[in-house]
Amino acid sequence: MRTIDGRQYASRADLIERSGYSDATLRNLWADREANGHPAARKEGRTLYWELREWEAWFAAHQRSQNGVDRSGNPDEELPPAGQARVLGIDVSAISHYRENPPPGWPAPARVEELPSGRVREYRTRRQLWAYADSNPMSRSRAGVAGRKPAKGPDPRIALAAEVLAAQPDRKAGEVAAALAERHGGGLSTWKRIVTAARKQT
């Protein structure tokens, strides 16, 4: 990290530490800067530096754009659990788990409907879900895992891995795990176990 003209600048090594992304991923983002709007760099000697505040603001916006959240539709429409799962790009079982074990920032329902069976159905608006996704960039990788209680039922991350395997059947398991870890956060070894479990199910 360097201070230049009174502002903090970060090298790629600093950005790797702050973002958790690999060197290869950050290099690819920089190479694709015309398409993704990556901030300009300042060269000092042989090292590139990025103004830290500008880069972090861009990175947060980039993560939001990549996290699979569906931002279409009426923001005030009240959605049942299946609709909430579609907006967030996670398995509907995660929404059910959230009732007993809500993750940080999970919004209170906008409306609760009592069903003939005696159970209740919770509705949330798209606006609430978008705000939750924006404040919790790791929400997809933590689907169904919140607080300290163990999640019940299937791990939604396995379904996510199964989708990637189905879409890209020729990719090696390790490559799929690395891609999932980079995109959604979490350890590579964890995602390798998830990919292995997804392969067993398919």
Side-chain angles (χ1 to χ4, degrees):
M1 204 76 71
R2 296 188 62 177
T3 300
I4 304 172
D5 298 333
R7 291 182 294 176
Q8 268 198 312
Y9 280 75
S11 66
R12 184 172 284 120
D14 296 322
L15 298 181
I16 290 169
E17 187 176 333
R18 285 182 166 264
S19 68
Y21 277 32
S22 69
D23 179 75
T25 297
L26 291 183
R27 285 181 185 276
N28 288 338
L29 289 171
W30 172 243
D32 198 31
R33 57 191 176 277
E34 287 188 15
N36 63 31
H38 193 293
R42 175 172 183 154
K43 194 165 187 177
E44 297 281 328
R46 298 179 62 184
T47 305
L48 293 176
Y49 289 89
W50 290 267
E51 202 277 317
L52 187 58
R53 283 190 178 180
E54 181 186 11
W55 188 89
E56 286 185 330
W58 169 82
F59 183 65
H62 176 74
Q63 281 191 307
R64 287 197 296 270
S65 72
Q66 298 295 310
N67 68 2
V69 175
D70 178 1
R71 301 203 178 249
S72 63
N74 179 354
D76 295 314
E77 181 182 358
E78 296 175 349
L79 301 174
Q84 296 171 44
R86 279 194 298 274
V87 168
L88 294 175
I90 61 177
D91 193 276
V92 69
S93 65
I95 304 296
S96 302
H97 298 324
Y98 287 177
R99 183 180 299 171
E100 295 179 10
N101 189 19
W106 182 241
R111 174 169 64 91
V112 177
E113 175 186 33
E114 189 166 342
L115 304 174
S117 64
R119 299 178 68 185
V120 296
R121 180 180 291 141
E122 295 181 346
Y123 289 78
R124 289 172 179 82
T125 66
R126 283 191 174 88
R127 191 188 307 278
Q128 287 179 297
L129 299 168
W130 295 339
Y132 166 73
D134 289 346
S135 64
N136 293 270
M138 300 296 287
S139 59
R140 280 176 59 85
S141 66
R142 295 182 181 275
V145 182
R148 296 184 181 178
K149 299 178 186 175
K152 299 175 183 176
D155 186 340
R157 295 174 299 178
I158 294 176
L160 184 65
E163 288 175 17
V164 176
L165 288 168
Q168 302 172 23
D170 295 331
R171 289 188 78 181
K172 294 179 180 176
E175 292 175 356
V176 172
L180 289 166
E182 285 188 11
R183 182 165 185 184
H184 304 293
L188 179 58
S189 60
T190 299
W191 279 107
K192 282 183 177 177
R193 287 195 298 272
I194 291 167
V195 170
T196 299
R199 277 197 157 167
K200 287 179 181 176
Q201 287 187 6
T202 53

